[in-house]
Amino acid sequence: MPWFIPEELAQWSGGAWTQTPVGSLLGIGHDTRGLTSGCLYVALKGERCDGHDFVADAFSKGASAALAERAWAESDAGRPFRSRPLLLVEDSGRALGALAAGFRNKAAPWTVGVTGSVGKTTVKDMLADMLGRTRDTARTRGNWNNAVGLPLSLLAMPEAARAGVFEIGMSRPGELAPLCEILRPDAGIVTTIAPVHIEFFRDLTALADEKSELLRALPPDGAAVLNRDSLCFEQLRDRTPCRALSVSLKDGKADYQCQARDAARGRFAVVERATGESHEF
């Protein structure tokens, strides 16, 4: 669990302390049921409940400070807590994302973003396991891939991590770009495009365009891995501003093709098109 310097948290979030905590904060959380002693509690407004209602519970369970909205702190409900260490911001949800972006920039790991209609969590965990053999690698907690889960996963990343693999999910237009701004991925993987959450999009092309936000966020010296067997593959490739590698289960034009060798024994081979080299698994 990383330690956080109060002054840096204020700088990253654009907030101000009512009282600056003494010493570093030991983690950041938004659920009082799993808070650790000495942490920063983030009061988030949800559809069914308001995290500000649990600020007292957070302090009673050992939180050293709380991030809260100024409007709440100035209300009758929040006024009694102004003598406690509160990091006051205009919008706690946006501030959580800003904290994650600030910490990601400070830790500066090589990061991979994973999105797609299905398979994100499996691919994220496989890649994190592989990278973890040679370097300290952080990853998304479970499938925490939304505007709350991604920032919390980044904020749980050990500062010593040299790599990170983070899942990015969406269900509606406009949700992916803000997550990519927080993550600033060095590489990206789109598992596949399928009609999942399609009810919020005009058609599959519009859905693929939203997924392409991950690719558009990549730097010129970055890399993308795309599924050549997926719908909208050409659209995704055209949106990629850097090197794009393709994989396939059936298309010999892919950069890397997976071929079955012994189905009964679960053996297959991956063939690299440029060299013809292959490796069995």
Short mmCIF file of all heavy atoms in Angstrom, two decimals, residues 91-160:
data_model
loop_
_atom_site.label_atom_id
_atom_site.label_comp_id
_atom_site.label_asym_id
_atom_site.label_seq_id
_atom_site.Cartn_x
_atom_site.Cartn_y
_atom_site.Cartn_z
N ASP A 91 -15.79 18.76 -6.50
CA ASP A 91 -16.44 17.52 -6.94
C ASP A 91 -15.55 16.36 -6.52
O ASP A 91 -14.44 16.22 -7.03
CB ASP A 91 -16.65 17.54 -8.46
CG ASP A 91 -17.42 16.34 -8.98
OD1 ASP A 91 -16.97 15.21 -8.75
OD2 ASP A 91 -18.46 16.54 -9.63
N SER A 92 -16.02 15.51 -5.62
CA SER A 92 -15.18 14.44 -5.09
C SER A 92 -14.87 13.37 -6.13
O SER A 92 -13.80 12.77 -6.11
CB SER A 92 -15.82 13.82 -3.85
OG SER A 92 -17.13 13.35 -4.13
N GLY A 93 -15.80 13.13 -7.05
CA GLY A 93 -15.55 12.14 -8.10
C GLY A 93 -14.42 12.57 -9.02
O GLY A 93 -13.52 11.79 -9.34
N ARG A 94 -14.47 13.82 -9.46
CA ARG A 94 -13.40 14.34 -10.31
C ARG A 94 -12.09 14.41 -9.54
O ARG A 94 -11.01 14.16 -10.10
CB ARG A 94 -13.78 15.71 -10.84
CG ARG A 94 -14.93 15.68 -11.85
CD ARG A 94 -15.20 17.08 -12.39
NE ARG A 94 -16.30 17.06 -13.36
CZ ARG A 94 -16.77 18.14 -13.96
NH1 ARG A 94 -16.24 19.33 -13.70
NH2 ARG A 94 -17.77 18.03 -14.82
N ALA A 95 -12.16 14.74 -8.27
CA ALA A 95 -10.94 14.83 -7.46
C ALA A 95 -10.29 13.46 -7.32
O ALA A 95 -9.05 13.35 -7.33
CB ALA A 95 -11.26 15.41 -6.09
N LEU A 96 -11.08 12.40 -7.19
CA LEU A 96 -10.52 11.05 -7.11
C LEU A 96 -9.73 10.73 -8.37
O LEU A 96 -8.62 10.20 -8.30
CB LEU A 96 -11.64 10.03 -6.90
CG LEU A 96 -11.20 8.56 -6.90
CD1 LEU A 96 -10.26 8.28 -5.73
CD2 LEU A 96 -12.43 7.64 -6.85
N GLY A 97 -10.29 11.06 -9.54
CA GLY A 97 -9.58 10.84 -10.79
C GLY A 97 -8.31 11.66 -10.87
O GLY A 97 -7.27 11.18 -11.35
N ALA A 98 -8.36 12.89 -10.36
CA ALA A 98 -7.17 13.75 -10.38
C ALA A 98 -6.08 13.20 -9.46
O ALA A 98 -4.88 13.27 -9.78
CB ALA A 98 -7.55 15.17 -9.97
N LEU A 99 -6.47 12.66 -8.31
CA LEU A 99 -5.49 12.04 -7.42
C LEU A 99 -4.81 10.86 -8.11
O LEU A 99 -3.58 10.70 -8.02
CB LEU A 99 -6.17 11.55 -6.14
CG LEU A 99 -6.70 12.59 -5.16
CD1 LEU A 99 -7.32 11.90 -3.95
CD2 LEU A 99 -5.60 13.54 -4.71
N ALA A 100 -5.59 10.04 -8.79
CA ALA A 100 -5.03 8.88 -9.48
C ALA A 100 -4.08 9.30 -10.58
O ALA A 100 -3.00 8.71 -10.76
CB ALA A 100 -6.16 8.01 -10.04
N ALA A 101 -4.46 10.33 -11.34
CA ALA A 101 -3.59 10.82 -12.41
C ALA A 101 -2.29 11.37 -11.84
O ALA A 101 -1.20 11.13 -12.39
CB ALA A 101 -4.31 11.90 -13.22
N GLY A 102 -2.38 12.10 -10.74
CA GLY A 102 -1.17 12.65 -10.13
C GLY A 102 -0.25 11.56 -9.63
O GLY A 102 0.98 11.63 -9.82
N PHE A 103 -0.81 10.54 -8.99
CA PHE A 103 0.02 9.45 -8.48
C PHE A 103 0.61 8.63 -9.60
O PHE A 103 1.77 8.19 -9.54
CB PHE A 103 -0.80 8.57 -7.54
CG PHE A 103 0.00 7.46 -6.93
CD1 PHE A 103 1.10 7.73 -6.15
CD2 PHE A 103 -0.36 6.13 -7.14
CE1 PHE A 103 1.85 6.70 -5.58
CE2 PHE A 103 0.38 5.10 -6.58
CZ PHE A 103 1.48 5.38 -5.80
N ARG A 104 -0.17 8.40 -10.67
CA ARG A 104 0.36 7.66 -11.83
C ARG A 104 1.56 8.39 -12.42
O ARG A 104 2.57 7.80 -12.79
CB ARG A 104 -0.74 7.48 -12.87
CG ARG A 104 -0.29 6.72 -14.13
CD ARG A 104 -0.05 7.69 -15.28
NE ARG A 104 0.35 7.00 -16.49
CZ ARG A 104 1.60 6.71 -16.83
NH1 ARG A 104 2.61 7.05 -16.04
NH2 ARG A 104 1.87 6.08 -17.95
N ASN A 105 1.47 9.72 -12.52
CA ASN A 105 2.57 10.50 -13.09
C ASN A 105 3.79 10.46 -12.18
O ASN A 105 4.93 10.44 -12.65
CB ASN A 105 2.12 11.93 -13.32
CG ASN A 105 1.07 12.05 -14.41
OD1 ASN A 105 0.92 11.15 -15.24
ND2 ASN A 105 0.32 13.13 -14.40
N LYS A 106 3.57 10.45 -10.86
CA LYS A 106 4.69 10.41 -9.93
C LYS A 106 5.37 9.05 -9.96
O LYS A 106 6.61 8.96 -10.02
CB LYS A 106 4.21 10.71 -8.51
CG LYS A 106 5.31 10.64 -7.46
CD LYS A 106 4.77 10.89 -6.06
CE LYS A 106 5.88 10.79 -5.02
NZ LYS A 106 5.38 11.03 -3.63
N ALA A 107 4.60 7.97 -9.92
CA ALA A 107 5.18 6.63 -9.92
C ALA A 107 5.79 6.28 -11.27
O ALA A 107 6.80 5.58 -11.35
CB ALA A 107 4.10 5.61 -9.54
N ALA A 108 5.17 6.76 -12.35
CA ALA A 108 5.68 6.63 -13.72
C ALA A 108 5.99 5.19 -14.14
O ALA A 108 7.06 4.91 -14.68
CB ALA A 108 6.92 7.50 -13.91
N PRO A 109 5.05 4.25 -13.95
CA PRO A 109 5.28 2.90 -14.48
C PRO A 109 4.97 2.86 -15.98
O PRO A 109 4.32 3.76 -16.51
CB PRO A 109 4.27 2.06 -13.70
CG PRO A 109 3.12 3.00 -13.52
CD PRO A 109 3.74 4.36 -13.29
N TRP A 110 5.45 1.83 -16.65
CA TRP A 110 5.04 1.55 -18.04
C TRP A 110 3.67 0.91 -17.95
O TRP A 110 3.50 -0.13 -17.31
CB TRP A 110 6.05 0.62 -18.70
CG TRP A 110 5.75 0.34 -20.14
CD1 TRP A 110 5.96 1.16 -21.20
CD2 TRP A 110 5.19 -0.87 -20.68
NE1 TRP A 110 5.57 0.54 -22.37
CE2 TRP A 110 5.09 -0.70 -22.08
CE3 TRP A 110 4.76 -2.08 -20.11
CZ2 TRP A 110 4.59 -1.69 -22.92
CZ3 TRP A 110 4.25 -3.06 -20.95
CH2 TRP A 110 4.17 -2.86 -22.34
N THR A 111 2.65 1.53 -18.55
CA THR A 111 1.29 1.08 -18.35
C THR A 111 0.65 0.56 -19.63
O THR A 111 0.87 1.08 -20.72
CB THR A 111 0.40 2.21 -17.79
OG1 THR A 111 0.44 3.32 -18.68
CG2 THR A 111 0.89 2.64 -16.42
N VAL A 112 -0.18 -0.45 -19.47
CA VAL A 112 -0.95 -1.04 -20.57
C VAL A 112 -2.42 -0.91 -20.22
O VAL A 112 -2.85 -1.29 -19.12
CB VAL A 112 -0.60 -2.52 -20.78
CG1 VAL A 112 -1.37 -3.08 -21.98
CG2 VAL A 112 0.89 -2.71 -20.98
N GLY A 113 -3.20 -0.37 -21.14
CA GLY A 113 -4.64 -0.31 -20.99
C GLY A 113 -5.29 -1.44 -21.77
O GLY A 113 -4.88 -1.73 -22.89
N VAL A 114 -6.28 -2.09 -21.17
CA VAL A 114 -6.98 -3.21 -21.82
C VAL A 114 -8.46 -2.89 -21.88
O VAL A 114 -9.09 -2.61 -20.85
CB VAL A 114 -6.77 -4.52 -21.05
CG1 VAL A 114 -7.50 -5.67 -21.76
CG2 VAL A 114 -5.29 -4.85 -20.90
N THR A 115 -9.02 -2.90 -23.09
CA THR A 115 -10.46 -2.71 -23.24
C THR A 115 -10.98 -3.69 -24.27
O THR A 115 -10.23 -4.49 -24.83
CB THR A 115 -10.79 -1.25 -23.62
OG1 THR A 115 -12.20 -1.02 -23.44
CG2 THR A 115 -10.42 -0.93 -25.07
N GLY A 116 -12.26 -3.64 -24.51
CA GLY A 116 -12.89 -4.58 -25.43
C GLY A 116 -14.26 -4.98 -24.90
O GLY A 116 -14.61 -4.67 -23.76
N SER A 117 -15.03 -5.68 -25.72
CA SER A 117 -16.38 -6.05 -25.32
C SER A 117 -16.41 -7.21 -24.34
O SER A 117 -17.27 -7.29 -23.47
CB SER A 117 -17.21 -6.39 -26.56
OG SER A 117 -17.30 -5.29 -27.44
N VAL A 118 -15.46 -8.13 -24.47
CA VAL A 118 -15.37 -9.28 -23.57
C VAL A 118 -13.90 -9.61 -23.35
O VAL A 118 -13.03 -9.20 -24.13
CB VAL A 118 -16.10 -10.53 -24.13
CG1 VAL A 118 -17.60 -10.29 -24.25
CG2 VAL A 118 -15.53 -10.91 -25.50
N GLY A 119 -13.60 -10.35 -22.30
CA GLY A 119 -12.26 -10.88 -22.09
C GLY A 119 -11.27 -9.94 -21.44
O GLY A 119 -10.09 -10.29 -21.31
N LYS A 120 -11.72 -8.77 -21.01
CA LYS A 120 -10.76 -7.77 -20.49
C LYS A 120 -10.04 -8.27 -19.23
O LYS A 120 -8.82 -8.15 -19.12
CB LYS A 120 -11.50 -6.47 -20.16
CG LYS A 120 -12.09 -5.76 -21.36
CD LYS A 120 -12.69 -4.43 -20.98
CE LYS A 120 -13.95 -4.55 -20.14
NZ LYS A 120 -15.07 -5.20 -20.85
N THR A 121 -10.79 -8.79 -18.29
CA THR A 121 -10.19 -9.20 -17.02
C THR A 121 -9.23 -10.36 -17.22
O THR A 121 -8.14 -10.39 -16.64
CB THR A 121 -11.28 -9.58 -16.00
OG1 THR A 121 -12.16 -8.45 -15.83
CG2 THR A 121 -10.68 -9.95 -14.67
N THR A 122 -9.60 -11.33 -18.06
CA THR A 122 -8.72 -12.47 -18.32
C THR A 122 -7.41 -12.02 -18.96
O THR A 122 -6.32 -12.42 -18.53
CB THR A 122 -9.43 -13.47 -19.24
OG1 THR A 122 -10.62 -13.93 -18.61
CG2 THR A 122 -8.53 -14.67 -19.54
N VAL A 123 -7.50 -11.19 -19.98
CA VAL A 123 -6.30 -10.71 -20.66
C VAL A 123 -5.46 -9.86 -19.72
O VAL A 123 -4.22 -9.97 -19.69
CB VAL A 123 -6.68 -9.92 -21.93
CG1 VAL A 123 -5.47 -9.21 -22.52
CG2 VAL A 123 -7.29 -10.86 -22.95
N LYS A 124 -6.10 -9.00 -18.92
CA LYS A 124 -5.38 -8.17 -17.95
C LYS A 124 -4.57 -9.02 -17.00
O LYS A 124 -3.39 -8.77 -16.74
CB LYS A 124 -6.37 -7.28 -17.21
CG LYS A 124 -5.79 -6.45 -16.09
CD LYS A 124 -5.98 -7.10 -14.72
CE LYS A 124 -7.46 -7.26 -14.39
NZ LYS A 124 -7.66 -7.84 -13.03
N ASP A 125 -5.20 -10.07 -16.45
CA ASP A 125 -4.50 -10.91 -15.47
C ASP A 125 -3.39 -11.74 -16.13
O ASP A 125 -2.31 -11.92 -15.54
CB ASP A 125 -5.49 -11.81 -14.76
CG ASP A 125 -6.31 -11.07 -13.71
OD1 ASP A 125 -5.77 -10.09 -13.15
OD2 ASP A 125 -7.45 -11.46 -13.43
N MET A 126 -3.63 -12.25 -17.31
CA MET A 126 -2.58 -13.01 -18.00
C MET A 126 -1.35 -12.15 -18.26
O MET A 126 -0.20 -12.55 -18.02
CB MET A 126 -3.10 -13.60 -19.31
CG MET A 126 -4.04 -14.77 -19.14
SD MET A 126 -4.28 -15.71 -20.68
CE MET A 126 -4.97 -14.46 -21.75
N LEU A 127 -1.59 -10.94 -18.78
CA LEU A 127 -0.46 -10.06 -19.10
C LEU A 127 0.27 -9.61 -17.84
O LEU A 127 1.50 -9.58 -17.81
CB LEU A 127 -0.96 -8.84 -19.88
CG LEU A 127 0.12 -7.84 -20.30
CD1 LEU A 127 1.22 -8.51 -21.10
CD2 LEU A 127 -0.49 -6.69 -21.10
N ALA A 128 -0.47 -9.29 -16.79
CA ALA A 128 0.16 -8.89 -15.54
C ALA A 128 0.99 -10.02 -14.96
O ALA A 128 2.09 -9.80 -14.42
CB ALA A 128 -0.89 -8.42 -14.54
N ASP A 129 0.51 -11.25 -15.07
CA ASP A 129 1.28 -12.40 -14.59
C ASP A 129 2.58 -12.55 -15.38
O ASP A 129 3.64 -12.83 -14.81
CB ASP A 129 0.46 -13.68 -14.71
CG ASP A 129 -0.61 -13.80 -13.62
OD1 ASP A 129 -0.53 -13.04 -12.64
OD2 ASP A 129 -1.50 -14.65 -13.77
N MET A 130 2.51 -12.36 -16.70
CA MET A 130 3.71 -12.50 -17.52
C MET A 130 4.72 -11.40 -17.21
O MET A 130 5.92 -11.67 -17.02
CB MET A 130 3.33 -12.48 -19.01
CG MET A 130 2.63 -13.74 -19.47
SD MET A 130 2.40 -13.82 -21.26
CE MET A 130 1.08 -12.65 -21.47
N LEU A 131 4.26 -10.15 -17.16
CA LEU A 131 5.18 -9.06 -16.86
C LEU A 131 5.76 -9.19 -15.45
O LEU A 131 6.90 -8.80 -15.20
CB LEU A 131 4.45 -7.72 -17.00
CG LEU A 131 4.07 -7.28 -18.41
CD1 LEU A 131 3.21 -6.03 -18.36
CD2 LEU A 131 5.29 -7.05 -19.27
N GLY A 132 4.96 -9.75 -14.55
CA GLY A 132 5.39 -9.89 -13.17
C GLY A 132 6.55 -10.84 -12.97
O GLY A 132 7.17 -10.85 -11.89
N ARG A 133 6.89 -11.62 -13.97
CA ARG A 133 8.03 -12.52 -13.86
C ARG A 133 9.36 -11.78 -13.93
O ARG A 133 10.39 -12.28 -13.50
CB ARG A 133 7.97 -13.58 -14.96
CG ARG A 133 6.80 -14.54 -14.83
CD ARG A 133 6.73 -15.49 -16.00
NE ARG A 133 7.90 -16.35 -16.05
CZ ARG A 133 8.03 -17.53 -15.43
NH1 ARG A 133 7.03 -17.95 -14.66
NH2 ARG A 133 9.11 -18.25 -15.54
N THR A 134 9.35 -10.56 -14.49
CA THR A 134 10.61 -9.83 -14.68
C THR A 134 10.62 -8.46 -14.01
O THR A 134 11.68 -7.84 -13.94
CB THR A 134 10.90 -9.64 -16.18
OG1 THR A 134 9.83 -8.90 -16.79
CG2 THR A 134 11.05 -10.99 -16.87
N ARG A 135 9.46 -7.98 -13.52
CA ARG A 135 9.43 -6.65 -12.91
C ARG A 135 8.22 -6.55 -11.98
O ARG A 135 7.24 -7.28 -12.16
CB ARG A 135 9.37 -5.57 -13.98
CG ARG A 135 8.06 -5.49 -14.75
CD ARG A 135 8.17 -4.79 -16.08
NE ARG A 135 8.74 -5.67 -17.08
CZ ARG A 135 8.97 -5.31 -18.34
NH1 ARG A 135 8.69 -4.07 -18.73
NH2 ARG A 135 9.49 -6.16 -19.20
N ASP A 136 8.27 -5.63 -11.03
CA ASP A 136 7.12 -5.39 -10.16
C ASP A 136 5.98 -4.84 -11.01
O ASP A 136 6.13 -3.80 -11.67
CB ASP A 136 7.47 -4.40 -9.06
CG ASP A 136 8.44 -4.98 -8.04
OD1 ASP A 136 8.50 -6.21 -7.94
OD2 ASP A 136 9.13 -4.20 -7.36
N THR A 137 4.84 -5.52 -11.01
CA THR A 137 3.73 -5.16 -11.90
C THR A 137 2.44 -5.00 -11.11
O THR A 137 2.03 -5.90 -10.37
CB THR A 137 3.54 -6.23 -12.98
OG1 THR A 137 4.75 -6.38 -13.72
CG2 THR A 137 2.41 -5.85 -13.93
N ALA A 138 1.80 -3.85 -11.27
CA ALA A 138 0.50 -3.59 -10.65
C ALA A 138 -0.59 -3.97 -11.64
O ALA A 138 -0.36 -4.10 -12.84
CB ALA A 138 0.39 -2.12 -10.26
N ARG A 139 -1.81 -4.11 -11.12
CA ARG A 139 -2.93 -4.46 -11.99
C ARG A 139 -4.24 -3.96 -11.41
O ARG A 139 -4.32 -3.61 -10.22
CB ARG A 139 -3.01 -5.97 -12.19
CG ARG A 139 -3.44 -6.73 -10.95
CD ARG A 139 -3.51 -8.22 -11.19
NE ARG A 139 -2.18 -8.83 -11.22
CZ ARG A 139 -1.95 -10.07 -11.61
NH1 ARG A 139 -2.94 -10.83 -12.02
NH2 ARG A 139 -0.72 -10.57 -11.59
N THR A 140 -5.26 -3.92 -12.24
CA THR A 140 -6.60 -3.58 -11.79
C THR A 140 -7.06 -4.57 -10.73
O THR A 140 -6.82 -5.78 -10.86
CB THR A 140 -7.58 -3.63 -12.98
OG1 THR A 140 -7.18 -2.69 -13.97
CG2 THR A 140 -9.01 -3.32 -12.52
N ARG A 141 -7.70 -4.08 -9.69
CA ARG A 141 -8.31 -4.95 -8.71
C ARG A 141 -9.55 -5.61 -9.32
O ARG A 141 -10.52 -4.93 -9.64
CB ARG A 141 -8.73 -4.15 -7.47
CG ARG A 141 -7.59 -3.61 -6.63
CD ARG A 141 -8.16 -2.87 -5.43
NE ARG A 141 -7.14 -2.47 -4.49
CZ ARG A 141 -7.39 -1.87 -3.32
NH1 ARG A 141 -8.64 -1.62 -2.98
NH2 ARG A 141 -6.42 -1.53 -2.51
N GLY A 142 -9.52 -6.92 -9.47
CA GLY A 142 -10.68 -7.61 -10.04
C GLY A 142 -11.05 -7.02 -11.38
O GLY A 142 -10.24 -6.99 -12.31
N ASN A 143 -12.29 -6.56 -11.50
CA ASN A 143 -12.72 -5.88 -12.73
C ASN A 143 -13.11 -4.44 -12.44
O ASN A 143 -14.05 -3.90 -13.01
CB ASN A 143 -13.88 -6.64 -13.39
CG ASN A 143 -15.12 -6.66 -12.52
OD1 ASN A 143 -15.07 -6.36 -11.33
ND2 ASN A 143 -16.25 -7.03 -13.11
N TRP A 144 -12.36 -3.78 -11.54
CA TRP A 144 -12.61 -2.37 -11.22
C TRP A 144 -12.15 -1.51 -12.39
O TRP A 144 -11.02 -1.05 -12.42
CB TRP A 144 -11.84 -1.98 -9.96
CG TRP A 144 -12.40 -2.53 -8.69
CD1 TRP A 144 -13.30 -3.55 -8.56
CD2 TRP A 144 -12.10 -2.08 -7.37
NE1 TRP A 144 -13.57 -3.77 -7.24
CE2 TRP A 144 -12.85 -2.89 -6.48
CE3 TRP A 144 -11.26 -1.11 -6.85
CZ2 TRP A 144 -12.79 -2.74 -5.10
CZ3 TRP A 144 -11.20 -0.94 -5.47
CH2 TRP A 144 -11.96 -1.75 -4.62
N ASN A 145 -13.03 -1.29 -13.34
CA ASN A 145 -12.58 -0.66 -14.59
C ASN A 145 -13.33 0.62 -14.94
O ASN A 145 -13.20 1.12 -16.06
CB ASN A 145 -12.71 -1.66 -15.75
CG ASN A 145 -14.13 -2.17 -15.95
OD1 ASN A 145 -15.10 -1.49 -15.63
ND2 ASN A 145 -14.25 -3.37 -16.50
N ASN A 146 -14.09 1.18 -13.98
CA ASN A 146 -14.88 2.37 -14.30
C ASN A 146 -14.28 3.62 -13.66
O ASN A 146 -13.13 3.62 -13.22
CB ASN A 146 -16.34 2.16 -13.89
CG ASN A 146 -16.48 1.93 -12.38
OD1 ASN A 146 -15.55 2.14 -11.61
ND2 ASN A 146 -17.66 1.49 -11.97
N ALA A 147 -15.07 4.69 -13.60
CA ALA A 147 -14.58 5.98 -13.13
C ALA A 147 -14.20 5.98 -11.65
O ALA A 147 -13.50 6.88 -11.19
CB ALA A 147 -15.63 7.07 -13.40
N VAL A 148 -14.65 4.99 -10.92
CA VAL A 148 -14.24 4.83 -9.52
C VAL A 148 -13.18 3.74 -9.40
O VAL A 148 -12.15 3.90 -8.75
CB VAL A 148 -15.45 4.49 -8.62
CG1 VAL A 148 -15.00 4.19 -7.19
CG2 VAL A 148 -16.45 5.64 -8.63
N GLY A 149 -13.42 2.60 -10.05
CA GLY A 149 -12.53 1.46 -9.93
C GLY A 149 -11.13 1.70 -10.48
O GLY A 149 -10.13 1.30 -9.86
N LEU A 150 -11.03 2.34 -11.66
CA LEU A 150 -9.70 2.59 -12.23
C LEU A 150 -8.87 3.50 -11.33
O LEU A 150 -7.71 3.17 -11.02
CB LEU A 150 -9.81 3.16 -13.64
CG LEU A 150 -8.46 3.56 -14.26
CD1 LEU A 150 -7.59 2.35 -14.49
CD2 LEU A 150 -8.67 4.33 -15.56
N PRO A 151 -9.38 4.65 -10.88
CA PRO A 151 -8.57 5.48 -9.98
C PRO A 151 -8.16 4.76 -8.70
O PRO A 151 -7.01 4.86 -8.27
CB PRO A 151 -9.48 6.67 -9.68
CG PRO A 151 -10.39 6.77 -10.85
CD PRO A 151 -10.63 5.35 -11.27
N LEU A 152 -9.07 3.99 -8.10
CA LEU A 152 -8.72 3.28 -6.87
C LEU A 152 -7.66 2.22 -7.13
O LEU A 152 -6.79 1.98 -6.28
CB LEU A 152 -9.97 2.65 -6.25
CG LEU A 152 -10.96 3.64 -5.63
CD1 LEU A 152 -12.23 2.91 -5.18
CD2 LEU A 152 -10.34 4.38 -4.45
N SER A 153 -7.72 1.57 -8.29
CA SER A 153 -6.70 0.58 -8.62
C SER A 153 -5.34 1.24 -8.80
O SER A 153 -4.31 0.73 -8.36
CB SER A 153 -7.09 -0.17 -9.90
OG SER A 153 -8.19 -1.02 -9.68
N LEU A 154 -5.32 2.39 -9.46
CA LEU A 154 -4.06 3.12 -9.63
C LEU A 154 -3.52 3.58 -8.28
O LEU A 154 -2.30 3.50 -8.02
CB LEU A 154 -4.27 4.32 -10.55
CG LEU A 154 -4.31 4.05 -12.04
CD1 LEU A 154 -4.87 5.25 -12.79
CD2 LEU A 154 -2.93 3.70 -12.57
N LEU A 155 -4.39 4.05 -7.40
CA LEU A 155 -3.96 4.56 -6.11
C LEU A 155 -3.52 3.45 -5.16
O LEU A 155 -2.89 3.72 -4.13
CB LEU A 155 -5.08 5.38 -5.47
CG LEU A 155 -5.37 6.72 -6.17
CD1 LEU A 155 -6.70 7.29 -5.72
CD2 LEU A 155 -4.24 7.72 -5.92
N ALA A 156 -3.85 2.21 -5.48
CA ALA A 156 -3.39 1.06 -4.69
C ALA A 156 -2.06 0.51 -5.22
O ALA A 156 -1.51 -0.43 -4.65
CB ALA A 156 -4.45 -0.04 -4.70
N MET A 157 -1.56 1.08 -6.30
CA MET A 157 -0.34 0.59 -6.95
C MET A 157 0.88 0.91 -6.10
O MET A 157 1.07 2.06 -5.69
CB MET A 157 -0.23 1.26 -8.32
CG MET A 157 1.07 1.05 -9.05
SD MET A 157 1.01 1.81 -10.71
CE MET A 157 0.74 3.55 -10.28
N PRO A 158 1.73 -0.06 -5.81
CA PRO A 158 2.98 0.25 -5.10
C PRO A 158 3.81 1.25 -5.90
O PRO A 158 3.92 1.14 -7.12
CB PRO A 158 3.68 -1.11 -5.01
CG PRO A 158 2.60 -2.12 -5.18
CD PRO A 158 1.60 -1.50 -6.11
N GLU A 159 4.38 2.22 -5.21
CA GLU A 159 5.15 3.24 -5.91
C GLU A 159 6.37 2.65 -6.61
O GLU A 159 6.88 3.22 -7.56
CB GLU A 159 5.57 4.34 -4.94
CG GLU A 159 6.06 5.61 -5.62
CD GLU A 159 6.19 6.77 -4.66
OE1 GLU A 159 5.53 6.75 -3.61
OE2 GLU A 159 6.96 7.69 -4.97
N ALA A 160 6.81 1.47 -6.15
CA ALA A 160 7.97 0.81 -6.76
C ALA A 160 7.60 0.04 -8.03
O ALA A 160 8.50 -0.47 -8.72
CB ALA A 160 8.62 -0.13 -5.76
#
